[in-house]
Amino acid sequence: QVQLVESGGDLVQPGGSLRLSCAASGFTFRRYAMTWVRQAPGKGLEWVSGINSGASRTTYADSVKGRFTISIDNAKNTATLQMASLKPEDTAVYYCAARIPYSPDYHYTYEAEYAYWGQGTQVTVSS
């Protein structure tokens, strides 16, 4: 059974940090690129960050560049999104997703563009 399970979402104050994890199972994780996509309340999906299967190329939305860091651990079948300097506008449900093939220059935003999609984890940034 294929699963992507996100965790780490929480309520945090502006300026704070959070670490989101995505645990993958049921497929050959190391062959897939991983992406984080978010959906703020009342808004559409927004691509946040992506990393290719070899972890040689990472890309970020302008809105999170310099504050978020994406990584993967092929030994643990896990993708991580380290978030710092959080802002209220970062409040959203964060989804991890996997796809192959993958172009780092394309921002895959919709669930239909992915092979696998997680259930999401809530991040709320508020004082």
Side-chain angles (χ1 to χ4, degrees):
Q1 179 184 4
V2 171
Q3 281 191 310
L4 288 175
V5 180
E6 301 94 334
S7 61
D10 205 347
L11 170 64
V12 62
Q13 293 187 344
S17 299
L18 276 179
R19 183 182 179 92
L20 304 184
S21 293
C22 172
S25 60
F27 65 100
T28 307
F29 179 81
R30 66 180 183 276
R31 296 184 59 207
Y32 286 75
M34 298 300 296
T35 294
W36 289 89
V37 178
R38 69 186 181 186
Q39 186 165 28
K43 296 189 177 181
L45 293 168
E46 178 189 15
W47 174 86
V48 174
S49 179
I51 185 167
N52 64 343
S53 59
S56 60
R57 180 81 184 270
T58 58
T59 49
Y60 299 92
D62 288 344
S63 58
V64 307
K65 198 171 295 182
R67 300 187 297 121
F68 290 11
T69 303
I70 190 172
S71 61
I72 55 174
D73 184 334
N74 286 325
K76 296 181 178 179
N77 288 358
T78 300
T80 298
L81 186 68
Q82 181 69 49
M83 306 187 295
S85 302
L86 284 162
K87 305 174 181 180
E89 51 263 44
D90 294 318
T91 295
V93 177
Y94 284 72
Y95 301 92
C96 69
R99 73 161 280 135
I100 183 174
Y102 174 77
S103 170
D105 297 320
Y106 185 82
H107 300 168
Y108 305 92
T109 304
Y110 302 103
E111 185 174 355
E113 297 180 294
Y114 290 91
Y116 309 117
W117 183 276
Q119 87 291 345
T121 187
Q122 176 70 49
V123 172
T124 303
V125 184
S126 175
S127 55

